[in-house]
Structures are given as structure tokens and as C-alpha cells.
Amino acid sequence: KAGVTQTPRYLIKTRGQQVTLSCSPISGHRSVSWYQQTPGQGLQFLFEYFSETQRNKGNFPGRFSGRQFSNSRSEMNVSTLELGDSALYLCASSPGTLGGRLSLEQYFGPGTRLTVT
Amino acid sequence: QKEVEQNSGPLSVPEGAIASLNCTYSDRVSQSFFWYRQYSGKSPELIMSIYSNGDKEDGRFTAQLNKASQYVSLLIRDSQPSDSATYLCAVGTALIFGKGTTLSVSS
């Protein structure tokens, strides 16, 4: 089974611009979560989508938004980029359920390295 | 504020030894716990999940959970140089991660 894929892998943007990152989950996985990883703060939860609905949201400003499509693919958008948004953005997918029971294991994609100049 | 604490290390062990990694969490109602391994420049890789008190073994890895003490640990038996990485403890469904423990296994 193919893993989680993220595009693009690397991105350089200028302050004030906006950016859209894409994530394709493992086939059959219905839950997609997004995380930000920085050297100072570590891995921080952004939001989770399940069946096209945002189910959980982390403590990030409204400039960070996301959505999920009917095929479970997800995008996240960051508007009005700031220097501090430079980070590795990771997408993780989870089955939601497996064989009728709750399956919460999350599998990460390779990430998108965003640099804001 | 929900927190997950790990000793940042580095934890250095010789090849063949047992490496013991520890994690404490603040949210008493947490029900799901995970260990991830992250090599430098790579994304986190799931090693173990544990949901019930006690031990769970998978190959050279054993996860231990004590909900009363709000404590999770990971034992790596017969440590290999390829195990050298940062190990991240994660708790919950909207995962709260610790900052990670760096493990170095010397040959």
C-alpha cells in the first residue's frame, strides 16, 4: 500500500504571501491530521479532518486553515505568511476504524519544508 | 495545557544493550499512547501504540503504560547503531508530542 504523500516537498515564499500544501492519505484512511514541526516548539497539532469535517483544531491563528475532499485528500492553507511560519509541515493519516474497532494510529508523510523569507 | 515530557538526552548505550526511554503526560483522561522514531531529516515513523495498562511487545520493542502514574516507557532490547534516532512520545488523538529523546547506540 502506498504511504502518505505530500506536495510540494519544498517551498520558498515571501512574507505576506499565502501557500497551499497538499496531502494524499493512505488508501482507505479517512482521517487526516496536520502538524507543524520546528526546532524550538517541536511537533504541534494544527487540525484534523474526518469525512470532510474538521474534528479537532490546535492552538494556531486563523491564518492556518484546511479542508478535506470527498476522496480524503486534504489541503492546508496559510495566509499572510510570517517568518515564524518557516517549518516542516507534516500530514498524517489514520484509518479511523479497522475491522470494526477504533484505530487511532497515525502514519506520517514526508512533509513539506516551507521557508518564508 | 496538556503536556508530554521527555528527557531530551542524549541517551547513549552500547550496541546490544537495553535502551530505556521514558515519558510522562499531564492529561489524566488520555487513552491512547504512541512511540515514534524520527531520523534526522526524515518524518516520524510509528513504532508502537499502547492503549491499556501493562506491557506490549513487538520484536525488540516493548512499550509499558501506567495510567495511574501517567507514565509511558519504551524499551529497546539488543540496541543497534541503526536505532540511533530521536524517539517521540505522543499522547491522545489530536497528538500531543513530547520534544523527543535522542538515542545514540555505539558499536
Side-chain angles (χ1 to χ4, degrees):
Chain A
K1 214 181 237 189
V4 178
T5 59
Q6 292 187 245
T7 56
R9 293 292 311 278
Y10 302 92
L11 208 48
I12 300 175
K13 290 287 188 178
T14 304
R15 267 182 306 175
Q17 289 186 313
Q18 75 164 20
V19 67
T20 299
L21 311 181
S22 181
C23 171
S24 292
I26 293 171
S27 178
H29 285 195
R30 297 168 63 191
S31 169
V32 174
S33 298
W34 289 88
Y35 296 85
Q36 180 196 66
Q37 187 171 31
T38 60
Q41 298 300 315
L43 266 158
Q44 293 184 285
F45 171 75
L46 280 155
F47 28 67
E48 181 209 1
Y49 286 87
F50 183 87
S51 294
E52 301 179 66
T53 301
Q54 187 179 88
R55 191 159 67 172
N56 278 302
K57 187 177 190 305
N59 189 25
F60 276 82
R63 300 185 297 108
F64 292 81
S65 63
R67 60 178 175 168
Q68 186 181 34
F69 302 96
S70 58
N71 61 359
S72 294
R73 192 177 68 84
S74 179
E75 290 181 346
M76 69 162 281
N77 183 276
V78 188
S79 62
T80 320
L81 284 165
E82 300 177 0
L83 294 178
D85 297 333
S86 295
L88 179 66
Y89 289 89
L90 291 158
C91 166
S93 75
S94 176
T97 58
L98 195 63
R101 73 171 176 85
L102 202 59
S103 178
L104 301 175
E105 288 81 2
Q106 295 186 29
Y107 301 89
F108 283 84
T112 294
R113 172 75 61 186
L114 173 64
T115 301
V116 182
T117 62
Chain B
Q1 174 114 357
K2 300 173 185 177
E3 293 183 337
V4 175
E5 299 286 342
Q6 293 182 255
N7 188 325
S8 62
L11 173 65
S12 297
V13 301
E15 184 175 358
I18 295 175
S20 178
L21 304 159
N22 305 313
C23 168
T24 58
Y25 60 94
S26 64
D27 187 4
R28 185 170 291 278
V29 302
S30 296
Q31 296 295 320
S32 49
F33 308 87
F34 307 91
W35 283 98
Y36 286 84
R37 176 174 62 194
Q38 187 171 27
Y39 293 110
S40 181
K42 300 293 186 181
S43 61
E45 173 193 8
L46 180 66
I47 299 174
M48 295 280 288
S49 61
I50 186 166
Y51 301 96
S52 304
N53 278 329
D55 295 359
K56 180 181 177 183
E57 187 174 317
D58 184 0
R60 295 187 296 113
F61 300 97
T62 298
Q64 300 174 316
L65 174 61
N66 183 325
K67 290 183 181 179
S69 300
Q70 294 174 242
Y71 177 90
V72 194
S73 66
L74 180 70
L75 299 177
I76 306 174
R77 289 181 300 282
D78 188 24
S79 295
Q80 300 297 309
S82 58
D83 293 327
S84 298
T86 297
Y87 289 79
L88 299 162
C89 174
V91 175
T93 50
L95 294 176
I96 307 297
F97 281 86
K99 292 291 177 68
T101 298
T102 301
L103 173 66
S104 177
V105 182
S106 55
S107 56

